[in-house]
Amino acid sequence: MPAILVVILQQTLLMGIGVVGGIWSRRRLYKGKSVMQTIVSKAIVYGAIYAVIAAYILTIHYRIFGYPTNGTIWTCIAIIFPYILSVILLAITLSTLYNRPETAIICTLWTSIPILLLSGASLPPEAFPHWMHTIGKIIPSSSAVTAFIRAQSMGADISDVGVEVIRLWALVAIYGTTAYLALKKRMSGRTTKSRTSNLLPYDNRHTLL
């Protein structure tokens, strides 16, 4: 269950930011905005919200259900901070691909089970083919799940999960770059825009025709 909670943090972030991205596309709110200002603003807002949620999960929720809490608070912060930040930047990147808010929900839901499996929560990573294990490394939850299980269940400190933390910071850099490039392209108007019919109720589309 602790591993699933980590994945839930990621999937709800991907879904929520994706829905907002779909709404922005539908209402054409991307055009004319500052790329860096948008990224920083989104990261601060979503990060603040999920910092509260993560604090609740790692304290109150863990104690209510009796999950092991052998890790120190500083080790947990060292893991959760780059984890949430990398997921936010990944979500911003993906949100530029959605022209409708419901698309984000559909795309996120069907990936939840594969992402959970690739995280190593159900099966050890060694049981997967090498190419699947490699794909799992580019998903933030894979490194975060491993780090959290080691920290909370086994009492590992920051030096024991250093590889996973470094990998999460590398994903922050990678997805920060992709978020910037994707938003820049979207805001410049070079991506395919939603059709005008998507902005109108279904009953009014036949009137335009």
Side-chain angles (χ1 to χ4, degrees):
M1 193 63 192
I4 295 177
L5 291 174
V6 175
V7 176
I8 288 175
L9 286 176
Q10 172 180 277
Q11 296 304 99
T12 52
L13 258 176
L14 292 176
M15 187 181 300
I17 298 178
V19 168
V20 173
I23 294 174
W24 276 38
S25 296
R26 179 172 250 179
R27 298 181 180 178
R28 299 182 180 178
L29 300 177
Y30 279 110
K31 191 172 182 180
K33 297 187 180 296
S34 170
V35 177
M36 284 303 302
Q37 184 178 0
T38 301
I39 293 176
V40 172
S41 300
K42 285 178 176 287
I44 292 175
V45 172
Y46 295 125
I49 294 173
Y50 269 77
V52 176
I53 297 175
Y56 163 77
I57 289 177
L58 296 177
T59 54
I60 300 175
H61 193 83
Y62 261 63
R63 293 183 183 277
I64 290 176
F65 291 94
Y67 299 143
T69 55
N70 297 319
T72 64
I73 185 64
W74 299 112
T75 302
C76 293
I77 292 176
I79 299 170
I80 199 68
F81 184 78
Y83 173 56
I84 291 180
L85 184 56
S86 63
V87 174
I88 290 174
L89 295 173
L90 171 61
I92 293 174
T93 302
L94 296 177
S95 68
T96 62
L97 304 176
Y98 304 133
N99 288 326
R100 297 183 179 183
E102 56 269 21
T103 306
I105 299 176
I106 296 173
C107 292
T108 305
L109 285 177
W110 77 266
T111 60
S112 297
I113 298 301
I115 285 176
L116 179 62
L117 294 175
L118 288 175
S119 68
S122 301
L123 294 173
E126 293 77 11
F128 292 102
H130 179 72
W131 64 272
M132 293 182 65
H133 183 56
T134 302
I135 292 177
K137 291 181 180 179
I138 67 175
I139 303 173
S141 59
S142 296
S143 298
V145 165
T146 302
F148 268 110
I149 290 178
R150 289 179 181 176
Q152 293 290 71
S153 300
M154 307 175 187
D157 56 22
I158 189 63
S159 61
D160 298 317
V161 295
V163 175
E164 287 76 18
V165 172
I166 292 174
R167 189 176 296 157
L168 287 172
W169 280 113
L171 292 178
V172 169
I174 293 172
Y175 292 134
T177 303
T178 58
Y180 179 84
L181 295 176
L183 272 178
K184 184 177 180 180
K185 185 177 181 180
R186 188 74 176 185
M187 292 177 179
S188 66
R190 289 196 296 267
T191 55
T192 303
K193 296 181 179 179
S194 300
R195 295 181 301 175
T196 306
S197 58
N198 291 335
L199 302 174
L200 301 173
Y202 178 80
D203 294 338
N204 293 337
R205 297 181 188 175
H206 300 288
T207 304
L208 291 179
L209 295 177

Short mmCIF file of all heavy atoms in Angstrom, two decimals, residues 102-134:
data_model
loop_
_atom_site.label_atom_id
_atom_site.label_comp_id
_atom_site.label_asym_id
_atom_site.label_seq_id
_atom_site.Cartn_x
_atom_site.Cartn_y
_atom_site.Cartn_z
N GLU A 102 -11.04 15.85 -21.09
CA GLU A 102 -11.35 14.44 -20.85
C GLU A 102 -10.28 13.50 -21.40
O GLU A 102 -10.15 12.36 -20.96
CB GLU A 102 -12.72 14.07 -21.43
CG GLU A 102 -12.87 14.36 -22.91
CD GLU A 102 -13.43 15.74 -23.19
OE1 GLU A 102 -13.33 16.62 -22.32
OE2 GLU A 102 -13.97 15.92 -24.31
N THR A 103 -9.51 13.99 -22.38
CA THR A 103 -8.43 13.17 -22.93
C THR A 103 -7.38 12.85 -21.88
O THR A 103 -6.83 11.75 -21.84
CB THR A 103 -7.78 13.89 -24.12
OG1 THR A 103 -8.78 14.24 -25.08
CG2 THR A 103 -6.74 13.00 -24.79
N ALA A 104 -7.10 13.81 -21.02
CA ALA A 104 -6.11 13.60 -19.96
C ALA A 104 -6.54 12.51 -19.00
O ALA A 104 -5.73 11.69 -18.55
CB ALA A 104 -5.88 14.91 -19.20
N ILE A 105 -7.84 12.47 -18.69
CA ILE A 105 -8.35 11.45 -17.77
C ILE A 105 -8.21 10.06 -18.38
O ILE A 105 -7.75 9.12 -17.73
CB ILE A 105 -9.82 11.74 -17.43
CG1 ILE A 105 -9.94 13.11 -16.75
CG2 ILE A 105 -10.40 10.64 -16.54
CD1 ILE A 105 -11.36 13.53 -16.47
N ILE A 106 -8.59 9.93 -19.64
CA ILE A 106 -8.52 8.64 -20.32
C ILE A 106 -7.08 8.15 -20.41
O ILE A 106 -6.77 6.99 -20.12
CB ILE A 106 -9.16 8.74 -21.71
CG1 ILE A 106 -10.65 9.07 -21.59
CG2 ILE A 106 -8.96 7.44 -22.49
CD1 ILE A 106 -11.32 9.35 -22.91
N CYS A 107 -6.18 9.03 -20.84
CA CYS A 107 -4.78 8.64 -21.02
C CYS A 107 -4.11 8.27 -19.70
O CYS A 107 -3.28 7.37 -19.64
CB CYS A 107 -4.01 9.78 -21.69
SG CYS A 107 -4.47 10.10 -23.40
N THR A 108 -4.49 8.96 -18.62
CA THR A 108 -3.86 8.70 -17.33
C THR A 108 -4.38 7.41 -16.71
O THR A 108 -3.60 6.64 -16.11
CB THR A 108 -4.12 9.87 -16.36
OG1 THR A 108 -3.66 11.09 -16.96
CG2 THR A 108 -3.37 9.66 -15.06
N LEU A 109 -5.67 7.15 -16.85
CA LEU A 109 -6.25 5.97 -16.21
C LEU A 109 -5.66 4.67 -16.74
O LEU A 109 -5.33 3.77 -15.97
CB LEU A 109 -7.78 5.98 -16.40
CG LEU A 109 -8.57 6.96 -15.53
CD1 LEU A 109 -10.04 6.91 -15.87
CD2 LEU A 109 -8.35 6.67 -14.05
N TRP A 110 -5.53 4.56 -18.06
CA TRP A 110 -5.07 3.27 -18.60
C TRP A 110 -3.58 3.04 -18.37
O TRP A 110 -3.10 1.91 -18.48
CB TRP A 110 -5.38 3.16 -20.09
CG TRP A 110 -4.49 3.93 -21.02
CD1 TRP A 110 -4.69 5.16 -21.51
CD2 TRP A 110 -3.24 3.48 -21.56
NE1 TRP A 110 -3.65 5.55 -22.33
CE2 TRP A 110 -2.74 4.52 -22.39
CE3 TRP A 110 -2.48 2.30 -21.45
CZ2 TRP A 110 -1.53 4.43 -23.08
CZ3 TRP A 110 -1.27 2.21 -22.14
CH2 TRP A 110 -0.81 3.27 -22.94
N THR A 111 -2.83 4.08 -18.01
CA THR A 111 -1.41 3.90 -17.73
C THR A 111 -1.13 3.60 -16.25
O THR A 111 0.01 3.27 -15.91
CB THR A 111 -0.62 5.16 -18.12
OG1 THR A 111 -1.11 6.30 -17.37
CG2 THR A 111 -0.75 5.45 -19.60
N SER A 112 -2.12 3.67 -15.40
CA SER A 112 -1.88 3.53 -13.96
C SER A 112 -1.35 2.14 -13.59
O SER A 112 -0.38 2.02 -12.83
CB SER A 112 -3.18 3.83 -13.18
OG SER A 112 -3.59 5.16 -13.39
N ILE A 113 -1.98 1.10 -14.11
CA ILE A 113 -1.55 -0.26 -13.76
C ILE A 113 -0.15 -0.56 -14.32
O ILE A 113 0.71 -1.08 -13.58
CB ILE A 113 -2.57 -1.30 -14.27
CG1 ILE A 113 -3.93 -1.06 -13.60
CG2 ILE A 113 -2.06 -2.70 -13.98
CD1 ILE A 113 -3.90 -1.14 -12.10
N PRO A 114 0.14 -0.27 -15.61
CA PRO A 114 1.51 -0.49 -16.09
C PRO A 114 2.56 0.28 -15.30
O PRO A 114 3.65 -0.24 -15.02
CB PRO A 114 1.46 -0.02 -17.55
CG PRO A 114 0.03 -0.19 -17.95
CD PRO A 114 -0.76 0.14 -16.72
N ILE A 115 2.24 1.52 -14.92
CA ILE A 115 3.19 2.31 -14.15
C ILE A 115 3.42 1.70 -12.77
O ILE A 115 4.55 1.66 -12.27
CB ILE A 115 2.69 3.77 -14.03
CG1 ILE A 115 2.89 4.49 -15.35
CG2 ILE A 115 3.41 4.51 -12.91
CD1 ILE A 115 2.34 5.90 -15.38
N LEU A 116 2.36 1.19 -12.16
CA LEU A 116 2.51 0.54 -10.86
C LEU A 116 3.38 -0.70 -10.97
O LEU A 116 4.22 -0.97 -10.11
CB LEU A 116 1.13 0.18 -10.31
CG LEU A 116 1.10 -0.54 -8.96
CD1 LEU A 116 1.70 0.33 -7.87
CD2 LEU A 116 -0.32 -0.95 -8.59
N LEU A 117 3.19 -1.48 -12.03
CA LEU A 117 4.00 -2.68 -12.23
C LEU A 117 5.46 -2.33 -12.48
O LEU A 117 6.38 -2.97 -11.94
CB LEU A 117 3.44 -3.51 -13.38
CG LEU A 117 2.06 -4.13 -13.17
CD1 LEU A 117 1.58 -4.80 -14.45
CD2 LEU A 117 2.09 -5.12 -12.02
N LEU A 118 5.70 -1.30 -13.30
CA LEU A 118 7.07 -0.91 -13.61
C LEU A 118 7.80 -0.31 -12.41
O LEU A 118 9.03 -0.27 -12.39
CB LEU A 118 7.08 0.10 -14.77
CG LEU A 118 6.73 -0.45 -16.15
CD1 LEU A 118 6.64 0.69 -17.17
CD2 LEU A 118 7.76 -1.47 -16.60
N SER A 119 7.05 0.15 -11.42
CA SER A 119 7.68 0.73 -10.24
C SER A 119 8.35 -0.32 -9.36
O SER A 119 9.15 0.02 -8.48
CB SER A 119 6.64 1.49 -9.42
OG SER A 119 5.70 0.60 -8.84
N GLY A 120 8.02 -1.59 -9.59
CA GLY A 120 8.61 -2.65 -8.78
C GLY A 120 7.84 -2.94 -7.51
O GLY A 120 8.32 -3.68 -6.65
N ALA A 121 6.64 -2.37 -7.38
CA ALA A 121 5.85 -2.59 -6.17
C ALA A 121 5.27 -3.99 -6.13
O ALA A 121 5.14 -4.59 -5.05
CB ALA A 121 4.73 -1.55 -6.09
N SER A 122 4.88 -4.54 -7.28
CA SER A 122 4.28 -5.87 -7.34
C SER A 122 5.28 -6.95 -7.69
O SER A 122 5.24 -8.05 -7.16
CB SER A 122 3.13 -5.87 -8.36
OG SER A 122 2.16 -4.91 -8.03
N LEU A 123 6.17 -6.62 -8.62
CA LEU A 123 7.20 -7.56 -9.06
C LEU A 123 8.56 -6.87 -8.99
O LEU A 123 8.65 -5.66 -9.23
CB LEU A 123 6.93 -8.03 -10.49
CG LEU A 123 5.69 -8.88 -10.72
CD1 LEU A 123 5.48 -9.11 -12.22
CD2 LEU A 123 5.80 -10.22 -10.00
N PRO A 124 9.61 -7.60 -8.68
CA PRO A 124 10.94 -6.98 -8.66
C PRO A 124 11.34 -6.56 -10.07
O PRO A 124 10.98 -7.21 -11.06
CB PRO A 124 11.85 -8.11 -8.14
CG PRO A 124 11.10 -9.37 -8.42
CD PRO A 124 9.65 -9.03 -8.30
N PRO A 125 12.09 -5.46 -10.20
CA PRO A 125 12.50 -5.00 -11.53
C PRO A 125 13.28 -6.03 -12.33
O PRO A 125 13.24 -6.04 -13.56
CB PRO A 125 13.38 -3.78 -11.21
CG PRO A 125 12.92 -3.32 -9.85
CD PRO A 125 12.53 -4.57 -9.13
N GLU A 126 13.98 -6.91 -11.62
CA GLU A 126 14.76 -7.93 -12.31
C GLU A 126 13.88 -8.92 -13.07
O GLU A 126 14.36 -9.64 -13.95
CB GLU A 126 15.64 -8.69 -11.31
CG GLU A 126 16.74 -7.87 -10.67
CD GLU A 126 16.22 -6.93 -9.59
OE1 GLU A 126 15.03 -7.09 -9.20
OE2 GLU A 126 16.98 -6.06 -9.15
N ALA A 127 12.59 -8.98 -12.73
CA ALA A 127 11.69 -9.91 -13.40
C ALA A 127 11.20 -9.39 -14.74
O ALA A 127 10.62 -10.14 -15.51
CB ALA A 127 10.48 -10.20 -12.50
N PHE A 128 11.46 -8.13 -15.04
CA PHE A 128 11.04 -7.53 -16.30
C PHE A 128 12.15 -7.62 -17.34
O PHE A 128 13.33 -7.71 -16.99
CB PHE A 128 10.67 -6.06 -16.10
CG PHE A 128 9.44 -5.85 -15.25
CD1 PHE A 128 9.56 -5.47 -13.93
CD2 PHE A 128 8.18 -6.03 -15.79
CE1 PHE A 128 8.45 -5.27 -13.14
CE2 PHE A 128 7.05 -5.84 -15.01
CZ PHE A 128 7.19 -5.46 -13.69
N PRO A 129 11.79 -7.62 -18.61
CA PRO A 129 12.83 -7.50 -19.65
C PRO A 129 13.61 -6.22 -19.49
O PRO A 129 13.12 -5.24 -18.90
CB PRO A 129 12.00 -7.50 -20.95
CG PRO A 129 10.70 -8.15 -20.60
CD PRO A 129 10.44 -7.79 -19.17
N HIS A 130 14.82 -6.21 -20.04
CA HIS A 130 15.70 -5.06 -19.85
C HIS A 130 15.09 -3.78 -20.41
O HIS A 130 15.20 -2.71 -19.79
CB HIS A 130 17.06 -5.33 -20.52
CG HIS A 130 18.02 -4.19 -20.39
ND1 HIS A 130 18.62 -3.86 -19.19
CD2 HIS A 130 18.46 -3.27 -21.31
CE1 HIS A 130 19.41 -2.80 -19.37
NE2 HIS A 130 19.32 -2.44 -20.63
N TRP A 131 14.42 -3.88 -21.57
CA TRP A 131 13.87 -2.67 -22.17
C TRP A 131 12.73 -2.10 -21.34
O TRP A 131 12.57 -0.87 -21.26
CB TRP A 131 13.38 -2.97 -23.59
CG TRP A 131 12.23 -3.94 -23.69
CD1 TRP A 131 12.32 -5.30 -23.79
CD2 TRP A 131 10.83 -3.62 -23.69
NE1 TRP A 131 11.06 -5.85 -23.85
CE2 TRP A 131 10.13 -4.85 -23.81
CE3 TRP A 131 10.12 -2.43 -23.62
CZ2 TRP A 131 8.74 -4.90 -23.84
CZ3 TRP A 131 8.73 -2.49 -23.65
CH2 TRP A 131 8.06 -3.71 -23.77
N MET A 132 11.95 -2.96 -20.66
CA MET A 132 10.89 -2.46 -19.79
C MET A 132 11.47 -1.82 -18.54
O MET A 132 10.96 -0.80 -18.05
CB MET A 132 9.94 -3.61 -19.42
CG MET A 132 9.14 -4.15 -20.57
SD MET A 132 7.98 -5.46 -20.08
CE MET A 132 6.87 -4.53 -19.03
N HIS A 133 12.53 -2.41 -18.04
CA HIS A 133 13.20 -1.83 -16.87
C HIS A 133 13.77 -0.46 -17.20
O HIS A 133 13.74 0.46 -16.37
CB HIS A 133 14.30 -2.78 -16.40
CG HIS A 133 15.00 -2.33 -15.16
ND1 HIS A 133 14.33 -2.06 -13.99
CD2 HIS A 133 16.32 -2.09 -14.91
CE1 HIS A 133 15.21 -1.67 -13.07
NE2 HIS A 133 16.41 -1.69 -13.60
N THR A 134 14.27 -0.30 -18.42
CA THR A 134 14.82 0.99 -18.86
C THR A 134 13.71 2.03 -18.97
O THR A 134 13.88 3.19 -18.55
CB THR A 134 15.53 0.84 -20.22
OG1 THR A 134 16.57 -0.14 -20.09
CG2 THR A 134 16.12 2.16 -20.65
#
